[in-house]
């Protein structure tokens, strides 16, 4: 079974930085995309950033150069470096893995880590 465990959330003042980590354990094969989503109270879950097996990245429009997603294949870990944090970045950040085995798609989610940005 694939498991995703996030760490690194917490409370930070506006303008500060946090780095989230997600360790992915278990086996998955074929093509995949690793990423981070977030969900704030009363809002829908939205994509923060993702990174493909080939290394291409995608970011939510609200990121605007403040966040960087990266991956360490040797450690099976995906990171989200968040700089210039704003109070509106407050949310639960959830690690996500989408993988394919031939035509079959799989999705796995972590439990999430709370990020709170104070003004």
């Amino acid at each position: 079974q694939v498991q995703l465990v996030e760490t690194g959330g917490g409370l930070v003042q506006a303008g500060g930085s946090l780095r989230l980590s997600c360790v992915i354990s278990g086996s998955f094969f074929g093509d995949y995309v690793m990423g981070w989503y977030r969900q704030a109270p009363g809002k829908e879950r939205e994509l923060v950033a993702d990174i493909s097996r080939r290394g291409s990245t995608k970011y939510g429009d609200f990121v605007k150069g403040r966040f960087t997603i990266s991956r360490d294949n040797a450690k099976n870990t995906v990171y989200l470096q968040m700089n210039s944090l704003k109070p509106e970045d407050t949310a639960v950040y959830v690690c996500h893995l989408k993988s394919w085995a031939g035509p079959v798609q799989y999705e796995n989610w972590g439990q999430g880590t709370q990020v709170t940005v104070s003004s």
Side-chain angles (χ1 to χ4, degrees), residues 15-112:
S17 299
L18 281 174
R19 188 175 85 152
L20 306 183
S21 301
C22 174
V23 177
I24 301 175
S25 60
S27 299
F28 53 96
F29 305 95
D31 205 0
Y32 60 81
V33 176
M34 299 173 175
W36 292 91
Y37 284 73
R38 72 182 188 183
Q39 187 163 20
K43 295 187 177 181
E44 292 187 356
R45 182 175 288 182
E46 59 183 349
L47 173 70
V48 180
D50 66 28
I51 182 167
S52 73
R53 178 180 181 178
R54 295 164 182 78
S56 61
T57 58
K58 182 170 58 180
Y59 293 91
D61 291 341
F62 58 87
V63 170
K64 297 185 179 180
R66 300 181 297 130
F67 300 173
T68 303
I69 190 169
S70 61
R71 182 183 67 216
D72 185 332
N73 291 331
K75 296 181 179 180
N76 287 334
T77 301
V78 60
Y79 303 98
L80 183 68
Q81 177 66 44
M82 303 187 292
N83 299 326
S84 303
L85 283 161
K86 305 174 182 179
E88 51 263 45
D89 293 318
T90 295
V92 175
Y93 285 69
V94 186
C95 186
H96 176 251
L97 172 68
K98 185 183 294 184
S99 59
W100 290 264
V104 181
Q105 178 181 296
Y106 300 89
E107 284 194 276
N108 299 93
W109 296 91
Q111 292 296 311

